[in-house]
Amino acid sequence: MVTRRSALESLAAGPLGAAMVAALPAAAAGAKPPVNHATGPEGERRADLGNGWYRNPIMPGDYADPSILKDGDDYYMTHSSFDAAPGLIIWHSRDLVNWRPIGPALEKPLGTVFAVDIAKHNGRYFIYIPFMKAPWSGDLPSFANIFVIHADSMAGPWSDPIDLKIGGLIDPGHVVGEDGKRYLYLSGVNRVALADDGLSTIGPVEPAYDGWHYPDEWITEGYSLEGPKLFRRGEWFYLVSAVGGTGGPATSHMVIIARSKSARGPWVNCPHNPIVRTRSDKEAWWSRGHATMVEGPKGAWYMVYHGYEKDYRSLGRQTLLEPLAWGGDGWPRALGGDLSLAMPMPTGRAGEPGGFTRSDDFTQPAFGTRWSFYGAAPGELRRAKVGANSSGQGVLTLEAKGTGPADCSPLTQTVGDHAYEISVIVDVEQGAQGGLLLFYDDRLFLGMGIDGQKMTSWRGGRASYWQEPAPKVSKLHLKIVNDRQIVTFYYSVDGKNWTRHGVRSEVSGYQANTVDDLASLRPALYASGKGAVRFMDYRFRAMG
């Protein structure tokens, strides 16, 4: 019988031999063979298998560009939140696999939020943020602008964003040098010195590292040197970055590493770059990159990065955890091999399940975790009110805006399952239209909307030619089933007797390479026109 442990031993047969395997915690003694996936209370995928093993992704769904901070026995992580408001959910873990949301760090984004970096210095926490200019942005001077927020605790409260006056660059990476000075590395790779308080820059932005260049015949999206993450281990500073482009062909994104005795360089490339690369579209995970390296709870080291799941690009870039080992030459080697297989938990045992439920009875607000507005200007939360009606039922009242899903800043939630069902009760005021969607971005979505007189069917980011003969009522139960990229709509007057919509959709093309936008297809509620729309009893159920 070939076990996961023996597979790792086979993988390790080479320059590092048994030392690579020894770096991994042992799985729980006598554990049963790993199952495909564990499930949570709504049937959703969970990484911790409950028997000392885990299976990727550690965070299913569109959690791209992970930035992770080890703070004693605690780990904190956040991701690019793009057009979500509130943005930057902070997650906490003790084992690198089970993550619980603390809450959003960014209540009012100033623009589209790209990859950030979390840092701790002198007892204070910092998040360095690239804000990309968006149609709803205020007075941002450049198409890309680096800001910083700070707090005494990862739970906040976080400061308002402070402009570092760095334009045209993204992907900040913080490091403290051998001289105690602070630096920010940026896409390109460029570098700028920071003031001691980390809230302003000193001197110019200057080139720092030219990257590692892969053979020209490799099939990638583009070179795109980005995502610098830095850390110190022993006498060396390490610079981890990504090349190859995050979308495009399956073999695009990859992880490279360089090192130096100084945080200012010069940087020497690893002789066995790239550390991580998808070599074939037959693999389970595509375009793997944008890694942070971190020491695990029992001393072993890991990479946290993102990747697309084969056949499910519509789920976005999901967060993956891969073990690594350090060789006698001071360079790391990836140990994960086939990431479709289960691996030993970093702690060697099951942990406390994290995450949160997607269903919502709308009795308590859950903005910034369960729900976020898409493409919303600061202050958008004023449109939404949550509370009980005269019958004691929880209600989300959403003020109408815009002319349809594309310009009304719908409320969206991230999901990470291959098959799921969502449903909600929709009650529209006169002059308003509201409904249930699967939403990618303002150019690509599908779903149903009602206005009291008719149902509008949305497909491909616009109103469909199909006129569904739904009843002319202001209150209707709506349901969407996404069964492995086949989407079916249903509606009902009483929530018991359902009518299937006349058109089904195949949605594997609702992904980044279709519209050149890094997002995911996710459930959404929308309210457009005039007046308001009330939503009740939102339910999510994964279907395995």
Side-chain angles (χ1 to χ4, degrees):
M1 174 181 172
V2 178
T3 65
R4 179 61 181 151
R5 195 75 180 172
S6 64
L8 287 168
E9 289 171 353
S10 175
L11 171 71
L16 298 184
M20 298 177 75
V21 178
L24 290 173
K32 296 179 181 179
V35 297
N36 284 334
H37 276 101
T39 56
E42 296 176 308
E44 75 278 12
R45 289 195 290 178
R46 291 201 165 173
D48 188 340
L49 302 181
N51 58 2
W53 299 78
Y54 78 92
R55 188 183 297 276
N56 279 303
I58 57 168
M59 296 194 69
D62 193 27
Y63 293 103
D65 305 320
S67 176
I68 187 168
L69 172 69
K70 177 177 169 58
D71 185 20
D73 293 331
D74 298 296
Y75 297 88
Y76 298 100
M77 182 165 61
T78 192
H79 306 79
S80 293
S81 53
F82 298 110
D83 292 292
L88 293 183
I89 301 178
I90 303 296
W91 300 85
H92 172 258
S93 177
R94 286 288 183 94
D95 61 15
L96 292 176
V97 173
N98 295 287
W99 295 87
R100 288 185 174 276
I102 295 177
L106 190 63
E107 182 179 345
K108 299 176 181 179
L110 303 181
T112 302
V113 175
F114 274 25
V116 307
D117 197 29
I118 310 175
K120 184 182 183 182
H121 187 66
N122 289 338
R124 193 156 190 79
Y125 299 91
F126 301 82
I127 303 179
Y128 291 91
I129 309 169
F131 287 117
M132 310 300 288
K133 197 171 186 63
W136 46 268
S137 297
D139 188 24
L140 290 176
S142 174
F143 79 94
N145 311 267
I146 307 294
F147 282 67
V148 61
I149 59 176
H150 58 94
D152 291 326
S153 164
M154 286 299 288
W158 290 88
S159 72
D160 290 334
I162 298 168
D163 190 357
L164 294 180
K165 301 186 180 347
I166 302 171
L169 296 168
I170 59 173
D171 294 3
H174 176 272
V175 67
V176 178
E178 69 283 3
D179 55 2
K181 301 296 184 183
R182 303 173 68 175
Y183 301 93
L184 206 61
Y185 276 69
L186 304 150
S187 59
V189 166
N190 295 278
R191 180 187 62 237
V192 66
L194 292 173
D196 289 344
D197 64 5
L199 304 180
S200 61
T201 62
I202 300 172
V205 175
E206 54 191 2
Y209 170 62
D210 189 40
W212 175 84
H213 293 262
Y214 50 81
D216 186 61
E217 62 268 21
W218 285 13
I219 304 300
T220 69
E221 182 182 33
Y223 182 66
S224 189
L225 177 59
E226 58 190 355
K229 292 286 183 281
L230 297 100
F231 64 97
R232 190 175 191 178
R233 182 178 182 270
E235 62 180 342
W236 295 103
F237 288 88
Y238 291 87
L239 169 57
V240 183
S241 48
V243 291
T246 190
T251 52
S252 291
H253 221 24
M254 62 193 84
V255 179
I256 63 172
I257 190 168
R259 71 184 182 190
S260 171
K261 293 289 182 70
S262 169
R264 295 178 57 85
W267 298 97
V268 177
N269 283 313
C270 175
H272 58 267
N273 274 331
I275 302 296
V276 168
R277 180 191 173 213
T278 301
R279 299 180 182 277
S280 165
D281 61 7
K282 304 297 189 296
E283 294 181 33
W285 292 95
W286 296 354
S287 287
R288 296 179 288 145
H290 204 102
T292 300
M293 293 184 178
V294 64
E295 185 180 1
K298 299 188 77 171
W301 279 73
Y302 293 84
M303 284 180 285
V304 182
Y305 56 79
H306 65 222
Y308 283 108
E309 190 170 6
K310 183 181 185 298
D311 300 327
Y312 287 94
R313 284 186 188 264
S314 60
L315 288 175
R317 294 170 296 168
Q318 305 181 56
T319 304
L320 310 173
L321 180 69
E322 178 168 3
L324 63 86
W326 293 94
D329 57 2
W331 291 109
R333 266 81 167 175
L335 297 181
D338 182 355
L339 291 191
S340 69
L341 300 175
M343 302 184 205
M345 287 283 292
T347 56
R349 63 182 185 275
E352 188 70 25
F356 55 84
T357 57
R358 268 69 182 174
S359 299
D360 200 338
D361 62 6
F362 299 122
T363 56
Q364 298 291 331
F367 303 113
T369 50
R370 185 177 290 133
W371 299 103
S372 60
F373 284 100
Y374 169 85
E380 198 79 16
L381 273 175
R382 290 192 294 267
R383 290 179 54 213
K385 295 180 181 179
V386 170
N389 60 17
S390 58
S391 302
Q393 183 178 28
V395 179
L396 164 66
T397 302
L398 190 57
E399 180 183 326
K401 169 187 170 181
T403 60
D407 60 0
C408 74
S409 296
L411 275 173
T412 72
Q413 67 172 208
T414 300
V415 297
D417 291 285
H418 298 164
Y420 57 87
E421 172 185 299
I422 55 174
S423 63
V424 72
I425 303 170
V426 181
D427 186 2
V428 297
E429 293 182 357
Q430 185 175 357
Q433 183 185 86
L436 183 65
L437 305 168
L438 293 182
F439 186 88
Y440 189 87
D441 68 4
D442 56 0
R443 293 175 290 161
L444 194 57
F445 48 84
L446 70 162
M448 298 168 284
I450 62 170
D451 60 12
Q453 298 300 313
K454 66 181 184 305
M455 173 176 285
T456 299
S457 302
W458 300 99
R459 299 180 79 206
R462 61 184 180 180
S464 169
Y465 65 87
W466 181 266
Q467 299 296 312
E468 179 67 20
K472 297 180 179 181
V473 293
S474 61
K475 185 176 182 179
L476 203 59
H477 297 250
L478 301 179
K479 179 166 65 177
I480 296 178
V481 175
N482 183 350
D483 189 357
R484 295 164 182 81
Q485 313 279 25
I486 304 300
V487 171
T488 307
F489 303 155
Y490 299 87
Y491 53 91
S492 170
V493 174
D494 58 9
K496 298 177 182 178
N497 302 293
W498 293 89
T499 300
R500 180 173 64 80
H501 190 285
V503 176
R504 283 191 175 95
S505 301
E506 201 280 343
V507 296
S508 61
Y510 284 61
Q511 45 111 331
N513 293 318
T514 304
V515 288
D516 194 27
D517 190 8
L518 297 170
S520 67
L521 190 62
R522 56 210 186 275
L525 309 174
Y526 83 97
S528 63
K530 304 293 184 182
V533 178
R534 288 174 290 276
F535 298 91
M536 291 151 282
D537 193 24
Y538 175 82
R539 298 185 185 183
F540 170 89
R541 179 178 65 88
M543 303 190 313

